[in-house]
């Protein structure tokens, strides 16, 4: 299966957005900090997600992104497809030119596997992932880490001001 970083990061960012839904628009900087994905890469992904009507942007102070539809109506395969990623288990990008322009013996087997994987990912919504206990635990840990970093930064700032 050839699911690249682009597809994985898009799903991760959309799940982060779903987990923080209800807190107003979420900035890409916040997602970047929590998930360790570069801000410029997120900007590229969210441009595609917006074009495919999975997210909407909110401009101005306190702006950011929100899901355009309910979590239960957005599935993982749709997110991957939106960033022009394919779930392809073949070695030839489903083109059928495995052996000098011809299909190999197992080409159709790998195409069927790709279809099965796509079907599986189509059956999982963002709401399904948000409801998972393991996802909630990781999200809680990430939030605590961010809060700790913010508190440490503020403490350092206070120390440097009092030292002057």
């Amino acid at each position: 299966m050839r699911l690249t970083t682009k597809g994985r990061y898009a799903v991760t960012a959309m799940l982060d957005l779903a987990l923080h839904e209800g807190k107003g628009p979420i900035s890409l900087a916040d997602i970047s900090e929590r998930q360790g994905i570069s801000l410029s890469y997120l900007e590229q992904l969210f441009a595609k997600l917006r074009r495919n009507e999975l997210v909407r942007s909110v401009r101005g102070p306190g702006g950011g992104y929100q899901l355009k539809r309910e979590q239960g109506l957005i599935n993982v395969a749709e997110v991957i497809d939106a960033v022009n990623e394919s779930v392809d288990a073949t070695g030839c990008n489903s083109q059928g030119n495995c052996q000098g322009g011809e299909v190999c013996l197992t080409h159709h087997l790998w195409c069927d596997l790709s279809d099965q994987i796509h079907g599986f990912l189509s059956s999982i919504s963002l709401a399904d992932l948000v409801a998972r206990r393991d996802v909630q635990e990781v999200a809680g840990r990430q939030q605590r880490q961010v809060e700790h970093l913010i508190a440490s930064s503020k403490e350092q700032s206070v120390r440097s001001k009092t030292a002057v």
Side-chain angles (χ1 to χ4, degrees):
M1 184 176 110
R2 291 178 9 157
L3 177 60
T4 65
T5 303
K6 186 190 305 184
R8 292 178 194 277
Y9 281 179
V11 172
T12 299
M14 287 291 286
L15 181 54
D16 186 283
L17 201 59
L19 284 161
H20 294 91
E21 192 173 47
K23 298 178 182 176
I26 306 300
S27 75
L28 294 183
D30 288 345
I31 296 172
S32 173
E33 187 172 20
R34 282 189 295 266
Q35 302 308 324
I37 303 171
S38 91
L39 186 57
S40 62
Y41 201 70
L42 283 172
E43 289 168 349
Q44 294 170 32
L45 292 175
F46 271 75
K48 291 179 179 187
L49 294 168
R50 191 178 67 240
R51 274 194 301 274
N52 283 276
E53 299 189 359
L54 295 176
V55 298
R56 70 172 147 255
S57 61
V58 177
R59 295 181 183 259
Y65 285 88
Q66 297 175 312
L67 297 177
K68 190 151 186 178
R69 299 192 312 255
E70 293 179 28
Q71 297 175 5
L73 299 177
I74 300 173
N75 66 58
V76 173
E78 194 175 6
V79 174
I80 293 168
D81 292 342
V83 294
N84 301 325
E85 198 62 22
S86 65
V87 179
D88 181 15
T90 70
C92 59
N93 297 326
S94 300
Q95 301 302 310
N97 54 358
C98 310
Q99 295 179 322
E102 302 291 327
V103 298
C104 67
L105 280 175
T106 56
H107 177 79
H108 297 291
L109 170 69
W110 304 129
C111 284
D112 290 346
L113 176 60
S114 296
D115 291 343
Q116 290 289 320
I117 293 168
H118 194 274
F120 171 72
L121 295 175
S122 294
S123 73
I124 302 170
S125 71
L126 291 178
D128 295 333
L129 293 174
V130 166
R132 290 179 57 145
R133 186 171 17 139
D134 56 340
V135 169
Q136 290 288 331
E137 289 171 0
V138 171
R141 184 197 72 223
Q142 290 174 335
Q143 188 61 40
R144 287 188 300 277
Q145 288 172 337
V146 167
E147 289 168 359
H148 177 73
L149 286 172
I150 291 169
S152 295
S153 176
K154 286 181 181 178
E155 188 177 301
Q156 245 179 359
S157 177
V158 168
R159 282 186 195 156
S160 65
K161 288 180 183 176
T162 57
V164 173

